[in-house]
Amino acid sequence: MDRYAVVGNPIAHSRSPQIHAAFARQTGQALRYEALLAPVDGFARTVADFRAHGGRGLNVTVPFKLEAFALATRRTPRAEMAGAVNTLAFEADAILGDNTDGAGLVRDLEANLGLALAGCRILLLGAGGACRGALLPLLASQPAALTIANRSVDKAAALAALFAPEAGAATLDACGFDALAGRRFDLVINATSASLAGALPPLPPGLYAEGALAYDMMYGRGDTPFMAAARADGAARVADGLGMLVEQAAESFTLWRDVRPDTAPVLAELRRQIDGS
Ligand code: ATR
């Protein structure tokens, strides 16, 4: 049976095995999908061993996405621009590296949440790996404007410069949080890791335009702190990143198996489990 896995450190709490098992059942694909713990200094060794034992592909998570980028012998344009790889596919004489995170985000926004990104004014909070991975797919969906705001303004400015050639007709700019005062957005995406430390990006009030959506790449039971703060600031709708998790998995599954799974029942089941936990 074809073998796949998610590799990371830590990995025990990954939901990817459950998601891919559901996709495989639903599409009738015969495959096995495991969770693989790699030592922090043993990523390449772990990947080589998995491949030697029948591995066909891997999802890659913290802290190995940059190492996976380096390991790939061929990369998709979206992986090149993301500067990180979350999906590896083993071919006869090559290792293909892809990044499905940003496409997963866009699909969650458009297909699951019904938001038309074309013409949108988007605010992206953060300038780390999560933000960079989202930029190409977001710009490809033709927003009117995309602002990158970050605590360290220089990092946001560097990303805006890097992606300027991909902006098309969109206005792409960068700033710090203070400079957002008085501006309005249709979509605000939290791609900072602030909530891991129990913090929130210090945002000025009044950011949400009428009907705006606040989206947190983090997920959990009920509202995340970012979602709660967004509601209090007048966001019409809020969403967490569970849909992005399922959609990036579906993108990887489609790359490996050439069959697109139906994400809706898988997302609904995960939501039920998280809400009931
Ligand atoms: P990831 O891969 O999750 O994006 P990262 O590359 O470490 O992780 O980036 C973390 C992002 O969260 C950065 O944009 C960081 O801001 P700085 O570049 O200024 O460090 C942001 N971040 C982390 N903690 C934050 C906090 N308490 N308030 C605001 N932003 C924060």
Side-chain angles (χ1 to χ4, degrees):
M1 204 183 279
D2 289 345
R3 288 180 71 197
Y4 297 86
V6 57
V7 56
N9 187 333
I11 202 62
H13 297 293
S14 171
R15 296 187 184 268
S16 293
Q18 179 190 347
I19 294 171
H20 283 276
F23 289 165
R25 265 195 310 277
Q26 182 200 87
T27 57
Q29 295 281 306
L31 60 87
R32 206 165 95 211
Y33 189 107
E34 308 145 55
L36 206 57
L37 178 70
V40 280
D41 61 350
F43 175 70
R45 208 174 350 113
T46 303
V47 172
D49 187 59
F50 183 71
R51 190 181 187 191
H53 289 88
R56 298 288 305 274
L58 284 168
N59 283 131
V60 181
T61 186
V62 178
F64 299 123
K65 289 186 185 183
L66 299 183
E67 279 186 75
F69 181 92
L71 196 72
T73 57
R74 198 161 74 78
R75 288 183 287 262
T76 59
R78 63 191 183 186
E80 289 290 352
M81 286 306 290
V85 155
N86 80 333
T87 306
L88 294 169
F90 303 123
E91 301 169 342
D93 46 13
I95 302 178
L96 174 66
D98 193 8
N99 191 313
T100 64
D101 286 329
L105 168 68
V106 165
R107 213 172 162 90
D108 191 34
L109 289 167
E110 297 204 308
N112 298 339
L113 296 165
L115 186 76
L117 289 172
C120 241
R121 292 164 294 175
I122 304 175
L123 171 59
L124 191 52
L125 303 170
C131 171
R132 184 168 167 181
L135 275 166
L136 191 67
L138 283 175
L139 288 169
S141 59
Q142 301 183 310
L146 195 157
T147 297
I148 307 168
N150 194 46
R151 182 172 60 182
S152 318
V153 185
D154 54 336
K155 280 167 68 179
L159 274 188
L162 181 66
F163 281 86
E166 315 294 336
T171 307
L172 178 61
D173 71 330
C175 63
F177 297 131
D178 288 351
L180 295 169
R183 298 183 62 185
R184 298 271 178 287
F185 299 90
D186 306 302
L187 169 64
V188 180
I189 301 169
N190 180 28
T192 73
S193 59
S195 53
L196 295 179
L200 278 174
L203 300 173
L207 286 179
Y208 295 93
E210 203 181 321
L213 171 69
Y215 189 97
D216 197 345
M217 285 195 187
M218 302 281 170
Y219 64 87
R221 188 178 176 185
D223 280 2
T224 65
F226 173 78
M227 289 158 68
R231 273 191 214 277
D233 192 32
R237 292 202 294 158
V238 298
D240 74 1
L242 192 64
M244 176 178 173
L245 174 75
V246 173
E247 294 299 341
Q248 63 78 30
E251 288 284 322
S252 299
F253 190 93
T254 306
L255 174 84
W256 292 325
R257 309 301 297 186
D258 210 17
V259 182
R260 181 168 282 280
D262 178 8
T263 52
V266 180
L267 178 55
E269 174 58 24
L270 263 184
R271 180 67 72 197
R272 265 194 300 277
Q273 285 179 12
I274 287 171
D275 285 350
S277 65

